[in-house]
Amino acid sequence: MPEPINLPAELIVVTGASSGIGRATAQRLAADGFHVLAGVRNTEDAAKLASRNIEPVILDITDADTLRALAIRVADDEGGRPLRAVVNNAGIAVNGPVESVPLDEWRRQFEVGVIGQIAVTQALMPALLAKGGRVINIGSLGSKVSMPGFGPYSAAKFAMEAVNDALRREMAPFGLSVVMITPGAVSTGMTEQGLKTIRRLAQLMTREQHGRHDKLIDAVEAQVETFARDGVKPEVAAAVVSRAISARTPRTRYMVGRDAAVLARIVRFIPARLLDRMLRSQMGLA
Ligand SMILES: NC(=O)c1ccc[n+]([C@@H]2O[C@H](COP(=O)([O-])OP(=O)(O)OC[C@H]3O[C@@H](n4cnc5c(N)ncnc54)[C@H](OP(=O)(O)O)[C@@H]3O)[C@@H](O)[C@H]2O)c1
């Protein structure tokens, strides 16, 4: 007689699971014993990710049809399993000087980084409320300090802090926990994507903007490469997500990496103009 297989008792949705923090988180939560619905945007990534306790689902968080399909998949789960948590992880990095990043690129950053996160949360809210679920938002140190050249990305992450806090305060009476995870630098594919984007956008700058910002663009590229080199592995972030999901009473915020823990604390006490000088000098712009 074959051994009876214990099916995972609870579902978790992870967005942006094709790479980086999302993939490590899906794998970690599957190993923790959850059934993970892992959001990916194409069938190749789905095939690579599928494994025990990981069920890839096609999900573009800016696409209403795939969001609807996800909500139906969760609601119609064959085992009637509850949704323990959604991990709002999917993200992109649009970087460049505020004055030159085209408005459509600002919109794209906000569409994915803010509206998409809210759309996923809204789509899954009935399932999350059914059994005291959790919303885990993956923030960034970029929401604590807005570095020159990182305006669009930081703006979206700052906005998500507000969304996160409002949601937590609104939904606590209904048993929903809302948690912000703030990683510092993590070595992932975001480096490559961010570099490609800033180089593409730099080509659209006017001659005057080039005159003002070429040094800044170089500094942003160098900074992104430093983040990638010095960043922690995505598994470190995944372990923190796992803790936030498994804790009986999760904290409202978790930091990932020493850079995040230290910087997030000290920037609150440094006068703005001193911080301006420190950041410019650290990027070699002073
Ligand atoms: N890396 C860092 O240093 C760092 C630091 C702090 C916070 N974070 C945050 O961590 C999260 C994950 O980033 P990562 O570093 O792991 O980067 P990553 O490896 O580039 O992963 C980003 C993921 O988001 C997905 N994605 C992008 N647009 C999407 C959309 N419209 N719908 C659904 N999925 C979409 C990507 O899918 P495709 O493969 O299909 O593009 C990919 O799976 C992000 O929210 C990021 O802001 C990263």
Side-chain angles (χ1 to χ4, degrees), residues 16-22 41 45 59-62 89-92 112 138-140 153 157 183-186 188-190:
S18 70
S19 66
I21 297 172
R41 290 198 290 174
D45 285 334
L59 177 66
D60 182 325
I61 63 170
T62 65
N89 165 79
I92 55 169
V112 177
I138 306 297
S140 164
Y153 179 75
K157 290 294 186 186
V186 185
T188 70
M190 190 158 272

Side-chain angles (χ1 to χ4, degrees), residues 34-89:
F34 295 104
H35 184 80
V36 180
L37 300 174
V40 292
R41 290 198 290 174
N42 59 59
T43 50
E44 291 79 40
D45 285 334
K48 277 189 237 157
L49 200 58
S51 61
R52 187 175 151 78
N53 293 358
I54 298 186
E55 176 187 332
V57 291
I58 297 296
L59 177 66
D60 182 325
I61 63 170
T62 65
D63 179 301
D65 289 341
T66 63
L67 283 164
R68 233 182 332 266
L70 172 69
I72 291 169
R73 164 64 192 86
V74 169
D76 293 352
D77 183 62
E78 265 189 25
R81 294 169 289 188
L83 180 60
R84 172 69 167 269
V86 55
V87 184
N88 279 319
N89 165 79

Side-chain angles (χ1 to χ4, degrees), residues 153-198:
Y153 179 75
S154 263
K157 290 294 186 186
F158 266 76
M160 276 310 295
E161 291 278 348
V163 173
N164 180 83
D165 287 1
L167 184 71
R168 188 183 68 248
R169 291 164 184 155
E170 288 162 4
M171 302 309 275
F174 309 106
L176 185 82
S177 298
V178 180
V179 178
M180 176 61 83
I181 308 252
T182 305
V186 185
S187 301
T188 70
M190 190 158 272
T191 309
E192 202 51 44
Q193 179 265 306
L195 286 174
K196 257 194 215 155
T197 304
I198 194 164

Side-chain angles (χ1 to χ4, degrees), residues 104-187:
D104 278 348
E105 292 290 328
W106 279 91
R107 289 193 183 96
R108 191 167 72 89
Q109 177 68 78
F110 273 76
E111 195 58 38
V112 177
V114 183
I115 307 297
Q117 318 290 320
I118 298 168
V120 173
T121 303
Q122 287 187 350
L124 296 176
M125 191 54 73
L128 286 164
L129 287 174
K131 263 213 160 172
R134 294 183 186 180
V135 175
I136 312 287
N137 291 313
I138 306 297
S140 164
L141 199 47
S143 76
K144 308 289 177 201
V145 53
S146 189
M147 293 175 66
F150 291 87
Y153 179 75
S154 263
K157 290 294 186 186
F158 266 76
M160 276 310 295
E161 291 278 348
V163 173
N164 180 83
D165 287 1
L167 184 71
R168 188 183 68 248
R169 291 164 184 155
E170 288 162 4
M171 302 309 275
F174 309 106
L176 185 82
S177 298
V178 180
V179 178
M180 176 61 83
I181 308 252
T182 305
V186 185
S187 301

